[in-house]
Amino acid sequence: MKPTCLGLIGLGVVGRCMAGQSIRAGVRKIVGYSKHRAEVVEAAKKGLIAEVVTSPKQVARLADLVVIDGGVSETITLLREVASTLIDRNAYCTDLSPVKEPVMEAAAGLGLHDRFAGSNALAGCDGGGSANTGANLFREGVVYVIPVGPAQTAANEVADFWQRVQGVEPVICDAESHDRLVGWTSHLPHAVAAALAVTLAKHGPRGVTYDPDTLATTEAAAGDVDAWADNLLHNRARVIDAIGEAESGLQRLKQALVAGDSVAVRGWLQEGHRWRVEVGK
């Protein structure tokens, strides 16, 4: 779908990128709301929204596609606020939260089977650009689109919007598969980076300069603490399983080091080396 009016609830980096690309794709009107004044000012300065509105419900009253750009808990709260308006107007809605099962359960409970589909865009974005830039701010990537149960109507419309308007390749999948995937590809790496940062903070040498590899490995630990706590808690079953496997791998290395087993140490490192070279191609 190519909406006549796109509504953004939340004007963070991804929301601003979506607005810029929607303007270039010919969407005639974009309205936006954010509880953060700085986001509103930034979007307005860049010419990314035609109208700033005063509440999420007002966005739902105006737009034929509403995008909620927030964390898991916030998204569920916002869905409750706009659900009846979406249903009354036959408007569609998607979200950008990084964990899907709780969001999809909430949407189903609100009767949004034919009005809502979840989204998670695994695509780069430079911060929103402006309405006048010519480049597609989403770099080559993929977006996962998640239906509410067996209903496909909203998922098909949202997937078409991502492909036609945003220029990102959509993949439709169920919430459980999505959350298991991001548990391994996003949440475990963040947890490991944070674990290393915590260990260095508690036990590392004081007043030293860490080498670039250490800084790169722990970079994810500098992310938004509240957002990541929300992600890890909402996807905790998958993260717990993944952490268990990571602990098992480190235990193998520890045992090899205790034994002074150079073959086992090299083999352990070679497994990681082989995987990293392969995924980096």
Side-chain angles (χ1 to χ4, degrees):
M1 68 179 300
K2 181 176 175 180
T4 300
C5 178
L6 174 67
L8 298 172
I9 301 175
L11 294 164
V13 171
V14 179
R16 294 198 302 271
C17 285
M18 293 181 74
Q21 179 57 24
S22 295
I23 291 169
R24 287 184 292 278
V27 174
R28 285 187 285 176
K29 184 176 182 180
I30 300 175
V31 300
Y33 164 82
S34 176
K35 62 182 180 181
H36 303 292
R37 176 167 172 74
E39 290 184 353
V40 174
V41 170
E42 181 76 8
K45 270 201 305 189
K46 292 184 174 181
L48 297 171
I49 47 177
E51 183 179 348
V52 179
V53 298
T54 57
S55 71
K57 186 167 281 192
Q58 192 173 357
V59 175
R61 290 192 189 108
L62 295 171
D64 39 293
L65 174 63
V66 174
V67 179
I68 299 174
D69 182 5
V72 181
S73 298
E74 182 183 16
T75 296
I76 292 170
T77 299
L78 288 166
L79 273 178
R80 290 173 182 147
E81 187 171 347
V82 303
S84 61
T85 305
L86 294 171
I87 293 169
D88 289 346
R89 296 189 59 248
N90 290 323
Y92 290 106
C93 181
T94 190
D95 78 307
L96 303 174
S97 65
V99 182
K100 289 305 175 195
E101 275 194 313
V103 173
M104 308 317 292
E105 288 171 6
L110 292 164
L112 291 171
H113 299 80
D114 295 324
R115 298 290 109 203
F116 179 82
S119 298
N120 187 14
L122 304 182
C125 179
D126 74 352
S130 74
N132 298 318
T133 57
N136 184 342
L137 297 175
F138 283 108
R139 298 190 296 273
E140 182 178 349
V142 65
V143 58
Y144 291 99
V145 176
I146 297 88
V148 180
Q152 292 285 324
T153 303
N156 290 336
E157 294 289 346
V158 169
D160 187 59
F161 165 78
W162 280 106
Q163 188 168 46
R164 291 179 59 197
V165 177
Q166 297 299 320
V168 186
E169 190 63 32
V171 175
I172 296 178
C173 68
D174 62 90
E176 195 278 334
S177 297
H178 170 274
D179 289 357
R180 186 172 63 248
L181 174 71
V182 297
W184 281 99
T185 61
S186 176
H187 302 164
L188 174 64
H190 189 95
V192 170
L196 177 56
V198 168
T199 302
L200 292 172
K202 288 184 176 181
H203 305 291
R206 300 292 182 236
V208 300
T209 300
Y210 283 100
D211 65 51
D213 285 347
T214 302
L215 297 178
T217 303
T218 57
E219 182 178 3
D224 185 296
V225 171
D226 290 336
W228 274 103
D230 199 44
N231 296 344
L232 296 177
L233 286 166
H234 277 295
N235 203 24
R236 58 187 176 274
R238 283 89 180 183
V239 178
I240 289 168
D241 288 345
I243 287 174
E245 294 297 334
E247 288 175 335
S248 176
L250 283 173
Q251 190 63 32
R252 282 175 51 211
L253 175 62
K254 182 179 178 180
Q255 290 169 352
L257 292 170
V258 168
D261 187 341
S262 62
V263 173
V265 170
R266 288 178 60 83
W268 188 91
L269 291 170
Q270 185 61 42
E271 285 183 42
H273 173 84
R274 188 182 304 115
W275 176 86
R276 185 59 183 86
V277 169
E278 184 63 30
V279 300
K281 289 180 179 177

